[in-house]
Structure formats: C-alpha cells, structure tokens
DNA sequence: AGCTTTGCTATTAAAATTATAGCATTATGA
DNA sequence: TCATAATGCTATAATTTTAATAGCAAAGCT
C-alpha cells in the first residue's frame, strides 16, 4: 500500500490534501492503536505484538515503516516510540478516549430493542 | 467484518474498551472520510461515492451500515447525515485538519534526501 | 411512456491482513 | 563458553477486505 504523503494523491484526494493523507494513514489497521499505545512509553516490536492482540508481524512491520516515514514514530534504544509530532497527534486523539467512554459508549446501553 | 461495539471484544481489546471499539470502527477504509465529508452537509449515496473517489459501492454501503449502527450517521430526507454524536466526533476530528496542514505537512518539505 | 436519479446487490478480481513457522542477531546466565 | 531467551524481523499460505464493474428495482420528473 502506498504511503500517504501530503501533497501527493492519496485515497480521498487527488491533490493530497494533508488531512486526507493523514486520514488515509491513520485509517489503516492498527495505526491509531499503535500510536495510542506508544504514548504510554516506548515499546519493543514484541510488546506491540502483544498489545495488538491479533496483528500479524507483517502488518505490524508495515505499519511501523509507514508511521516512521511519516515522522510519527521513531526507533530508540528502548524500542519504538513517538516522535514529537507523534505526541502532538496523540494529544489530538486523546479527547476521543474520554468521549468514547463518557458519551459514545453510553448510547449503546439502550440497544436491546432492534 | 464485525461491527465494533463498546463492551464487546474488538480488535485491540478483548473487553471492548470504548476507545478501542472506536478506533476499530474509524480505522476502516473511508470511515473517517465519510464523517469528514458529511459535516459539510447531508449527502446522497452517490454524492459520497463521488467524494470518496475510489470507494466501491459495496464498501460504501458496508461502512454506512456500520456508522449507522454505531449512531454516528443517520438517514434523512436529504440523504445521509451526521447524528448529534457524529457531529461531536467530528468536532474532535476537526483539529486534526489544521494540525495536518500547519504542522505535519510541513515536516515533509525536507524529505528530499534519501 | 420514457429518462434520470438513487440506493443499492451480484460477481469477480485485486489487495490487505492474518496465521504460523522460523531464522539471524544480540543479550543473559550458568 | 555454551545453552537459552529475547528481539526484530522474513517467508509462505490462507483468509478477509476492498475495488471494479455491471446492472437492477423503485421513485421522480417531463
């Protein structure tokens, strides 16, 4: 799969609008999960495999490469970790966590009719 | 593909933590793009097809079903549109747009080495 | 009655993801 | 020092998603 770069054609935008490139990148399996997890600290490849219960090593490796080329993660002596930009992005993702818990999840409680 | 419901096993969480269910849902092709687009107003099925340049009708339909079952979009007389929750989620997604443009995209400008 | 728009379904092909095994380093430990 | 374990993967094949394309039924003009 082509790595989405702002300014170049990506899914959703022939001109590669940054937000579309970003959505393309993040909308791949496990991408956001990896970022989410790395915020709590650097992880080894195997840590990530454990965290992402059902990811295959191929996919994990592909995702890591993409995220690295897109400047969101990097390798350190302690394993993979977020770059400054990665942290910035996480900060934007973060509010989704509380919204999911406090608002979104609640709306499923009355889903027993159907 | 199983529709991710908070409280039930999803990719990334056997207990279905809300954020994981949300990331699973949004991390599917075009999901965030659809939400992004619908914020600008209700769209018909065909509008969405045009917007999501390369989506197939099957995938679009699948995604629409998922987003509907997860209370993020709904059908109105004008076509598909965001629910209140969908709007809330968009508001959380929105900052990513300016960050992508003003911060993230900039970091690619010096990527001509390699 | 014909033509268009809309919201799909069906079918097939291509691509992504998973599952599983396993290998080459580099510690670690006895 | 030699075995053992941890790490970061690659290879291969099976499965699942997604895309491409055609087309149809229902509703709305004209």
């Amino acid at each position: 799969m082509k790595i989405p770069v702002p300014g170049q054609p990506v899914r959703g935008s022939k001109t590669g609008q940054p937000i579309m490139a970003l959505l393309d990148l993040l909308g791949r399996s496990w991408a956001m999960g990896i970022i989410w997890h790395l915020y709590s600290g650097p992880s080894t490849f195997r840590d990530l495999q454990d965290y992402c219960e059902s990811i295959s090593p191929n996919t994990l490796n592909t995702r890591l490469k993409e995220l690295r080329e897109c400047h969101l993660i990097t390798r350190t002596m302690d394993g993979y970790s977020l770059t400054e930009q990665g942290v910035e992005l996480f900060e934007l993702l973060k509010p989704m966590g509380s919204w999911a818990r406090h608002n979104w999840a609640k709306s499923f409680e009355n889903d027993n009719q159907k």
Side-chain angles (χ1 to χ4, degrees), chain A:
Chain A
M1 212 172 178
K2 208 171 128 198
I3 295 181
V5 171
Q8 290 177 25
V10 297
R11 287 192 297 186
S13 166
K14 287 170 191 154
T15 56
Q17 286 183 56
I19 181 61
M20 287 303 145
L22 184 61
L23 295 184
D24 186 0
L25 177 68
L26 297 181
R28 297 177 180 189
S29 69
W30 297 109
M32 290 189 287
I34 290 169
I35 293 172
W36 196 269
H37 179 67
L38 285 184
Y39 184 74
S40 59
S43 289
T44 64
F45 190 92
R46 249 131 168 147
D47 275 344
L48 286 168
Q49 269 187 299
D50 288 343
Y51 169 70
C52 304
E53 300 156 17
S54 66
I55 198 173
S56 74
N58 304 280
T59 304
L60 176 56
N61 199 32
T62 302
R63 219 70 334 139
L64 289 174
K65 272 180 193 153
E66 292 167 357
L67 293 173
R68 272 204 284 174
E69 290 206 27
C70 289
H71 318 136
L72 298 177
I73 69 176
T74 186
R75 283 189 73 170
T76 66
M77 291 181 312
D78 300 323
Y80 292 97
S81 70
L82 294 181
T83 60
E84 276 188 44
Q85 292 214 319
V87 173
E88 284 175 21
L89 181 58
F90 173 84
E91 302 288 355
L92 297 178
L93 244 35
K94 196 174 180 177
M96 286 170 46
S98 39
W99 177 80
R101 201 165 48 249
H102 300 307
N103 300 78
W104 186 57
K106 297 262 166 73
S107 71
F108 284 80
E109 287 171 8
N110 308 316
D111 261 16
N112 314 321
Q113 69 263 12
K114 172 169 283 192

